[in-house]
PDB file of all heavy atoms in Angstrom:
ATOM      1  N   THR S  25      -4.157  -9.189  -7.613  1.00  0.00           N
ATOM      2  CA  THR S  25      -2.729  -9.328  -7.366  1.00  0.00           C
ATOM      3  C   THR S  25      -1.958  -8.679  -8.506  1.00  0.00           C
ATOM      4  O   THR S  25      -2.185  -8.995  -9.673  1.00  0.00           O
ATOM      5  CB  THR S  25      -2.334 -10.817  -7.258  1.00  0.00           C
ATOM      6  OG1 THR S  25      -3.112 -11.428  -6.231  1.00  0.00           O
ATOM      7  CG2 THR S  25      -0.867 -10.966  -6.937  1.00  0.00           C
ATOM      8  N   LEU S  26      -1.054  -7.777  -8.144  1.00  0.00           N
ATOM      9  CA  LEU S  26      -0.177  -7.115  -9.108  1.00  0.00           C
ATOM     10  C   LEU S  26       1.250  -7.543  -8.825  1.00  0.00           C
ATOM     11  O   LEU S  26       1.652  -7.646  -7.651  1.00  0.00           O
ATOM     12  CB  LEU S  26      -0.277  -5.592  -8.970  1.00  0.00           C
ATOM     13  CG  LEU S  26      -1.654  -5.017  -9.243  1.00  0.00           C
ATOM     14  CD1 LEU S  26      -1.900  -3.802  -8.401  1.00  0.00           C
ATOM     15  CD2 LEU S  26      -1.759  -4.662 -10.694  1.00  0.00           C
ATOM     16  N   THR S  27       2.017  -7.804  -9.878  1.00  0.00           N
ATOM     17  CA  THR S  27       3.423  -8.167  -9.713  1.00  0.00           C
ATOM     18  C   THR S  27       4.268  -7.345 -10.677  1.00  0.00           C
ATOM     19  O   THR S  27       3.769  -6.800 -11.654  1.00  0.00           O
ATOM     20  CB  THR S  27       3.657  -9.660  -9.986  1.00  0.00           C
ATOM     21  OG1 THR S  27       3.249  -9.952 -11.332  1.00  0.00           O
ATOM     22  CG2 THR S  27       2.892 -10.538  -9.016  1.00  0.00           C
ATOM     23  N   GLY S  28       5.554  -7.278 -10.381  1.00  0.00           N
ATOM     24  CA  GLY S  28       6.476  -6.548 -11.240  1.00  0.00           C
ATOM     25  C   GLY S  28       7.858  -6.521 -10.600  1.00  0.00           C
ATOM     26  O   GLY S  28       8.170  -7.312  -9.713  1.00  0.00           O
ATOM     27  N   THR S  29       8.679  -5.577 -11.048  1.00  0.00           N
ATOM     28  CA  THR S  29      10.035  -5.415 -10.547  1.00  0.00           C
ATOM     29  C   THR S  29      10.184  -4.031  -9.935  1.00  0.00           C
ATOM     30  O   THR S  29       9.789  -3.036 -10.543  1.00  0.00           O
ATOM     31  CB  THR S  29      11.065  -5.578 -11.681  1.00  0.00           C
ATOM     32  OG1 THR S  29      10.884  -6.863 -12.277  1.00  0.00           O
ATOM     33  CG2 THR S  29      12.485  -5.449 -11.172  1.00  0.00           C
ATOM     34  N   ALA S  30      10.762  -3.978  -8.727  1.00  0.00           N
ATOM     35  CA  ALA S  30      11.025  -2.712  -8.049  1.00  0.00           C
ATOM     36  C   ALA S  30      12.522  -2.440  -8.095  1.00  0.00           C
ATOM     37  O   ALA S  30      13.330  -3.310  -7.782  1.00  0.00           O
ATOM     38  CB  ALA S  30      10.544  -2.773  -6.605  1.00  0.00           C
ATOM     39  N   VAL S  31      12.893  -1.237  -8.509  1.00  0.00           N
ATOM     40  CA  VAL S  31      14.280  -0.783  -8.475  1.00  0.00           C
ATOM     41  C   VAL S  31      14.324   0.345  -7.452  1.00  0.00           C
ATOM     42  O   VAL S  31      13.677   1.376  -7.627  1.00  0.00           O
ATOM     43  CB  VAL S  31      14.761  -0.286  -9.850  1.00  0.00           C
ATOM     44  CG1 VAL S  31      16.186   0.234  -9.766  1.00  0.00           C
ATOM     45  CG2 VAL S  31      14.650  -1.391 -10.886  1.00  0.00           C
ATOM     46  N   SER S  43      17.368  -4.359  -6.909  1.00  0.00           N
ATOM     47  CA  SER S  43      16.286  -4.712  -7.814  1.00  0.00           C
ATOM     48  C   SER S  43      15.645  -5.995  -7.295  1.00  0.00           C
ATOM     49  O   SER S  43      16.334  -6.989  -7.092  1.00  0.00           O
ATOM     50  CB  SER S  43      16.844  -4.928  -9.221  1.00  0.00           C
ATOM     51  OG  SER S  43      15.830  -5.365 -10.082  1.00  0.00           O
ATOM     52  N   ARG S  44      14.345  -5.935  -7.029  1.00  0.00           N
ATOM     53  CA  ARG S  44      13.615  -7.086  -6.499  1.00  0.00           C
ATOM     54  C   ARG S  44      12.257  -7.185  -7.184  1.00  0.00           C
ATOM     55  O   ARG S  44      11.685  -6.193  -7.596  1.00  0.00           O
ATOM     56  CB  ARG S  44      13.340  -6.934  -4.999  1.00  0.00           C
ATOM     57  CG  ARG S  44      14.528  -6.777  -4.113  1.00  0.00           C
ATOM     58  CD  ARG S  44      15.041  -8.134  -3.648  1.00  0.00           C
ATOM     59  NE  ARG S  44      16.057  -8.025  -2.630  1.00  0.00           N
ATOM     60  CZ  ARG S  44      17.312  -7.667  -2.834  1.00  0.00           C
ATOM     61  NH1 ARG S  44      17.705  -7.329  -4.017  1.00  0.00           N
ATOM     62  NH2 ARG S  44      18.182  -7.636  -1.849  1.00  0.00           N
ATOM     63  N   THR S  45      11.743  -8.385  -7.238  1.00  0.00           N
ATOM     64  CA  THR S  45      10.361  -8.536  -7.671  1.00  0.00           C
ATOM     65  C   THR S  45       9.471  -8.056  -6.526  1.00  0.00           C
ATOM     66  O   THR S  45       9.890  -8.029  -5.371  1.00  0.00           O
ATOM     67  CB  THR S  45      10.031 -10.004  -7.993  1.00  0.00           C
ATOM     68  OG1 THR S  45      10.274 -10.795  -6.834  1.00  0.00           O
ATOM     69  CG2 THR S  45      10.860 -10.504  -9.166  1.00  0.00           C
ATOM     70  N   PHE S  46       8.266  -7.654  -6.848  1.00  0.00           N
ATOM     71  CA  PHE S  46       7.339  -7.248  -5.803  1.00  0.00           C
ATOM     72  C   PHE S  46       5.963  -7.832  -6.097  1.00  0.00           C
ATOM     73  O   PHE S  46       5.644  -8.181  -7.231  1.00  0.00           O
ATOM     74  CB  PHE S  46       7.259  -5.720  -5.672  1.00  0.00           C
ATOM     75  CG  PHE S  46       6.413  -5.059  -6.722  1.00  0.00           C
ATOM     76  CD1 PHE S  46       5.046  -4.874  -6.533  1.00  0.00           C
ATOM     77  CD2 PHE S  46       6.981  -4.632  -7.908  1.00  0.00           C
ATOM     78  CE1 PHE S  46       4.275  -4.272  -7.515  1.00  0.00           C
ATOM     79  CE2 PHE S  46       6.218  -4.027  -8.879  1.00  0.00           C
ATOM     80  CZ  PHE S  46       4.859  -3.852  -8.691  1.00  0.00           C
ATOM     81  N   THR S  47       5.167  -7.912  -5.052  1.00  0.00           N
ATOM     82  CA  THR S  47       3.779  -8.350  -5.156  1.00  0.00           C
ATOM     83  C   THR S  47       2.924  -7.410  -4.326  1.00  0.00           C
ATOM     84  O   THR S  47       3.247  -7.143  -3.166  1.00  0.00           O
ATOM     85  CB  THR S  47       3.610  -9.792  -4.632  1.00  0.00           C
ATOM     86  OG1 THR S  47       4.487 -10.659  -5.357  1.00  0.00           O
ATOM     87  CG2 THR S  47       2.176 -10.273  -4.794  1.00  0.00           C
ATOM     88  N   LEU S  48       1.859  -6.916  -4.924  1.00  0.00           N
ATOM     89  CA  LEU S  48       0.863  -6.124  -4.211  1.00  0.00           C
ATOM     90  C   LEU S  48      -0.450  -6.887  -4.300  1.00  0.00           C
ATOM     91  O   LEU S  48      -0.968  -7.106  -5.389  1.00  0.00           O
ATOM     92  CB  LEU S  48       0.705  -4.727  -4.817  1.00  0.00           C
ATOM     93  CG  LEU S  48      -0.425  -3.874  -4.230  1.00  0.00           C
ATOM     94  CD1 LEU S  48      -0.171  -3.555  -2.765  1.00  0.00           C
ATOM     95  CD2 LEU S  48      -0.599  -2.596  -5.039  1.00  0.00           C
ATOM     96  N   PHE S  86       1.926  -5.874   0.777  1.00  0.00           N
ATOM     97  CA  PHE S  86       2.986  -5.529  -0.161  1.00  0.00           C
ATOM     98  C   PHE S  86       4.251  -6.262   0.260  1.00  0.00           C
ATOM     99  O   PHE S  86       4.636  -6.233   1.431  1.00  0.00           O
ATOM    100  CB  PHE S  86       3.251  -4.021  -0.167  1.00  0.00           C
ATOM    101  CG  PHE S  86       4.387  -3.631  -1.056  1.00  0.00           C
ATOM    102  CD1 PHE S  86       4.213  -3.593  -2.429  1.00  0.00           C
ATOM    103  CD2 PHE S  86       5.632  -3.332  -0.537  1.00  0.00           C
ATOM    104  CE1 PHE S  86       5.270  -3.256  -3.268  1.00  0.00           C
ATOM    105  CE2 PHE S  86       6.682  -2.993  -1.370  1.00  0.00           C
ATOM    106  CZ  PHE S  86       6.505  -2.960  -2.730  1.00  0.00           C
ATOM    107  N   SER S  87       4.888  -6.934  -0.702  1.00  0.00           N
ATOM    108  CA  SER S  87       6.124  -7.647  -0.382  1.00  0.00           C
ATOM    109  C   SER S  87       7.157  -7.455  -1.482  1.00  0.00           C
ATOM    110  O   SER S  87       6.825  -7.338  -2.662  1.00  0.00           O
ATOM    111  CB  SER S  87       5.843  -9.138  -0.177  1.00  0.00           C
ATOM    112  OG  SER S  87       5.354  -9.719  -1.359  1.00  0.00           O
ATOM    113  N   LEU S  88       8.408  -7.399  -1.054  1.00  0.00           N
ATOM    114  CA  LEU S  88       9.549  -7.361  -1.965  1.00  0.00           C
ATOM    115  C   LEU S  88      10.236  -8.715  -1.935  1.00  0.00           C
ATOM    116  O   LEU S  88      10.433  -9.287  -0.859  1.00  0.00           O
ATOM    117  CB  LEU S  88      10.550  -6.278  -1.541  1.00  0.00           C
ATOM    118  CG  LEU S  88      10.162  -4.850  -1.818  1.00  0.00           C
ATOM    119  CD1 LEU S  88      11.158  -3.889  -1.165  1.00  0.00           C
ATOM    120  CD2 LEU S  88      10.103  -4.594  -3.316  1.00  0.00           C
ATOM    121  N   GLY S  89      10.619  -9.205  -3.101  1.00  0.00           N
ATOM    122  CA  GLY S  89      11.284 -10.497  -3.181  1.00  0.00           C
ATOM    123  C   GLY S  89      10.391 -11.605  -2.669  1.00  0.00           C
ATOM    124  O   GLY S  89       9.195 -11.642  -2.925  1.00  0.00           O
ATOM    125  N   ILE S 139       0.891   3.347  -8.810  1.00  0.00           N
ATOM    126  CA  ILE S 139       1.004   2.572 -10.047  1.00  0.00           C
ATOM    127  C   ILE S 139      -0.061   3.054 -11.019  1.00  0.00           C
ATOM    128  O   ILE S 139      -1.195   3.304 -10.630  1.00  0.00           O
ATOM    129  CB  ILE S 139       0.800   1.061  -9.783  1.00  0.00           C
ATOM    130  CG1 ILE S 139       1.847   0.537  -8.802  1.00  0.00           C
ATOM    131  CG2 ILE S 139       0.843   0.271 -11.084  1.00  0.00           C
ATOM    132  CD1 ILE S 139       1.585  -0.874  -8.323  1.00  0.00           C
ATOM    133  N   MET S 141      -1.959   1.824 -14.473  1.00  0.00           N
ATOM    134  CA  MET S 141      -2.196   0.650 -15.308  1.00  0.00           C
ATOM    135  C   MET S 141      -3.032   1.044 -16.511  1.00  0.00           C
ATOM    136  O   MET S 141      -3.974   1.830 -16.384  1.00  0.00           O
ATOM    137  CB  MET S 141      -2.959  -0.411 -14.509  1.00  0.00           C
ATOM    138  CG  MET S 141      -2.300  -0.835 -13.219  1.00  0.00           C
ATOM    139  SD  MET S 141      -0.905  -1.926 -13.452  1.00  0.00           S
ATOM    140  CE  MET S 141      -1.711  -3.399 -13.997  1.00  0.00           C
ATOM    141  N   ARG S 146      -1.387  -3.667 -17.825  1.00  0.00           N
ATOM    142  CA  ARG S 146       0.070  -3.459 -17.761  1.00  0.00           C
ATOM    143  C   ARG S 146       0.342  -2.046 -17.277  1.00  0.00           C
ATOM    144  O   ARG S 146      -0.435  -1.132 -17.548  1.00  0.00           O
ATOM    145  CB  ARG S 146       0.700  -3.631 -19.142  1.00  0.00           C
ATOM    146  CG  ARG S 146       0.378  -4.941 -19.801  1.00  0.00           C
ATOM    147  CD  ARG S 146       1.416  -5.962 -19.440  1.00  0.00           C
ATOM    148  NE  ARG S 146       1.154  -7.206 -20.145  1.00  0.00           N
ATOM    149  CZ  ARG S 146       1.078  -8.364 -19.527  1.00  0.00           C
ATOM    150  NH1 ARG S 146       1.213  -8.449 -18.249  1.00  0.00           N
ATOM    151  NH2 ARG S 146       0.861  -9.456 -20.211  1.00  0.00           N
ATOM    152  N   GLY S 147       1.459  -1.861 -16.577  1.00  0.00           N
ATOM    153  CA  GLY S 147       1.739  -0.517 -16.106  1.00  0.00           C
ATOM    154  C   GLY S 147       3.114  -0.362 -15.488  1.00  0.00           C
ATOM    155  O   GLY S 147       3.966  -1.240 -15.566  1.00  0.00           O
ATOM    156  N   GLU S 148       3.312   0.796 -14.856  1.00  0.00           N
ATOM    157  CA  GLU S 148       4.548   1.125 -14.162  1.00  0.00           C
ATOM    158  C   GLU S 148       4.211   2.138 -13.084  1.00  0.00           C
ATOM    159  O   GLU S 148       3.100   2.661 -13.032  1.00  0.00           O
ATOM    160  CB  GLU S 148       5.603   1.669 -15.117  1.00  0.00           C
ATOM    161  CG  GLU S 148       5.206   2.923 -15.845  1.00  0.00           C
ATOM    162  CD  GLU S 148       6.288   3.374 -16.808  1.00  0.00           C
ATOM    163  OE1 GLU S 148       7.049   2.543 -17.323  1.00  0.00           O
ATOM    164  OE2 GLU S 148       6.361   4.586 -17.019  1.00  0.00           O
ATOM    165  N   ARG S 176      11.538   2.881  -8.756  1.00  0.00           N
ATOM    166  CA  ARG S 176      10.697   2.626  -9.929  1.00  0.00           C
ATOM    167  C   ARG S 176      10.053   1.256  -9.801  1.00  0.00           C
ATOM    168  O   ARG S 176      10.677   0.307  -9.345  1.00  0.00           O
ATOM    169  CB  ARG S 176      11.547   2.649 -11.203  1.00  0.00           C
ATOM    170  CG  ARG S 176      12.274   3.932 -11.474  1.00  0.00           C
ATOM    171  CD  ARG S 176      11.415   5.031 -12.035  1.00  0.00           C
ATOM    172  NE  ARG S 176      10.714   4.563 -13.207  1.00  0.00           N
ATOM    173  CZ  ARG S 176       9.492   4.952 -13.534  1.00  0.00           C
ATOM    174  NH1 ARG S 176       8.851   5.815 -12.804  1.00  0.00           N
ATOM    175  NH2 ARG S 176       8.902   4.494 -14.610  1.00  0.00           N
ATOM    176  N   LEU S 177       8.801   1.190 -10.238  1.00  0.00           N
ATOM    177  CA  LEU S 177       8.097  -0.082 -10.356  1.00  0.00           C
ATOM    178  C   LEU S 177       7.904  -0.324 -11.843  1.00  0.00           C
ATOM    179  O   LEU S 177       7.230   0.458 -12.516  1.00  0.00           O
ATOM    180  CB  LEU S 177       6.746  -0.027  -9.628  1.00  0.00           C
ATOM    181  CG  LEU S 177       6.807   0.264  -8.137  1.00  0.00           C
ATOM    182  CD1 LEU S 177       5.414   0.431  -7.565  1.00  0.00           C
ATOM    183  CD2 LEU S 177       7.566  -0.830  -7.403  1.00  0.00           C
ATOM    184  N   MET S 178       8.520  -1.372 -12.350  1.00  0.00           N
ATOM    185  CA  MET S 178       8.514  -1.619 -13.792  1.00  0.00           C
ATOM    186  C   MET S 178       7.902  -2.973 -14.109  1.00  0.00           C
ATOM    187  O   MET S 178       7.921  -3.886 -13.290  1.00  0.00           O
ATOM    188  CB  MET S 178       9.947  -1.581 -14.334  1.00  0.00           C
ATOM    189  CG  MET S 178      10.647  -0.273 -14.063  1.00  0.00           C
ATOM    190  SD  MET S 178      12.332  -0.217 -14.664  1.00  0.00           S
ATOM    191  CE  MET S 178      13.087  -1.519 -13.760  1.00  0.00           C
ATOM    192  N   GLY S 179       7.362  -3.086 -15.313  1.00  0.00           N
ATOM    193  CA  GLY S 179       6.801  -4.347 -15.774  1.00  0.00           C
ATOM    194  C   GLY S 179       5.650  -4.822 -14.904  1.00  0.00           C
ATOM    195  O   GLY S 179       5.475  -6.024 -14.691  1.00  0.00           O
ATOM    196  N   VAL S 180       4.859  -3.879 -14.408  1.00  0.00           N
ATOM    197  CA  VAL S 180       3.749  -4.238 -13.525  1.00  0.00           C
ATOM    198  C   VAL S 180       2.646  -4.888 -14.351  1.00  0.00           C
ATOM    199  O   VAL S 180       2.284  -4.403 -15.417  1.00  0.00           O
ATOM    200  CB  VAL S 180       3.194  -2.987 -12.799  1.00  0.00           C
ATOM    201  CG1 VAL S 180       2.047  -3.372 -11.874  1.00  0.00           C
ATOM    202  CG2 VAL S 180       4.296  -2.281 -12.030  1.00  0.00           C
ATOM    203  N   SER S 181       2.136  -6.004 -13.842  1.00  0.00           N
ATOM    204  CA  SER S 181       1.030  -6.666 -14.534  1.00  0.00           C
ATOM    205  C   SER S 181       0.015  -7.170 -13.521  1.00  0.00           C
ATOM    206  O   SER S 181       0.352  -7.506 -12.392  1.00  0.00           O
ATOM    207  CB  SER S 181       1.542  -7.820 -15.400  1.00  0.00           C
ATOM    208  OG  SER S 181       2.135  -8.807 -14.600  1.00  0.00           O
ATOM    209  N   LEU S 182      -1.215  -7.201 -13.966  1.00  0.00           N
ATOM    210  CA  LEU S 182      -2.312  -7.718 -13.160  1.00  0.00           C
ATOM    211  C   LEU S 182      -2.323  -9.226 -13.325  1.00  0.00           C
ATOM    212  O   LEU S 182      -2.562  -9.737 -14.410  1.00  0.00           O
ATOM    213  CB  LEU S 182      -3.632  -7.092 -13.621  1.00  0.00           C
ATOM    214  CG  LEU S 182      -4.890  -7.505 -12.880  1.00  0.00           C
ATOM    215  CD1 LEU S 182      -4.816  -7.078 -11.417  1.00  0.00           C
ATOM    216  CD2 LEU S 182      -6.104  -6.891 -13.546  1.00  0.00           C
ATOM    217  N   ARG S 183      -2.040  -9.953 -12.245  1.00  0.00           N
ATOM    218  CA  ARG S 183      -1.938 -11.413 -12.317  1.00  0.00           C
ATOM    219  C   ARG S 183      -3.300 -12.090 -12.214  1.00  0.00           C
ATOM    220  O   ARG S 183      -3.569 -13.046 -12.892  1.00  0.00           O
ATOM    221  CB  ARG S 183      -1.027 -11.940 -11.218  1.00  0.00           C
ATOM    222  CG  ARG S 183       0.364 -11.352 -11.267  1.00  0.00           C
ATOM    223  CD  ARG S 183       1.067 -11.750 -12.490  1.00  0.00           C
ATOM    224  NE  ARG S 183       1.640 -13.049 -12.264  1.00  0.00           N
ATOM    225  CZ  ARG S 183       2.421 -13.663 -13.099  1.00  0.00           C
ATOM    226  NH1 ARG S 183       2.711 -13.110 -14.240  1.00  0.00           N
ATOM    227  NH2 ARG S 183       2.895 -14.841 -12.836  1.00  0.00           N
TER     228      ARG S 183
END
Side-chain angles (χ1 to χ4, degrees):
T25 303
L26 298 148
T27 60
T29 303
V31 178
S43 176
R44 301 271 189 285
T45 58
F46 78 89
T47 303
L48 174 64
F86 177 76
S87 63
L88 285 172
I139 300 171
M141 304 284 290
R146 306 270 184 232
E148 60 182 29
R176 301 282 307 145
L177 300 174
M178 302 179 299
V180 180
S181 63
L182 181 63
R183 302 295 277 186

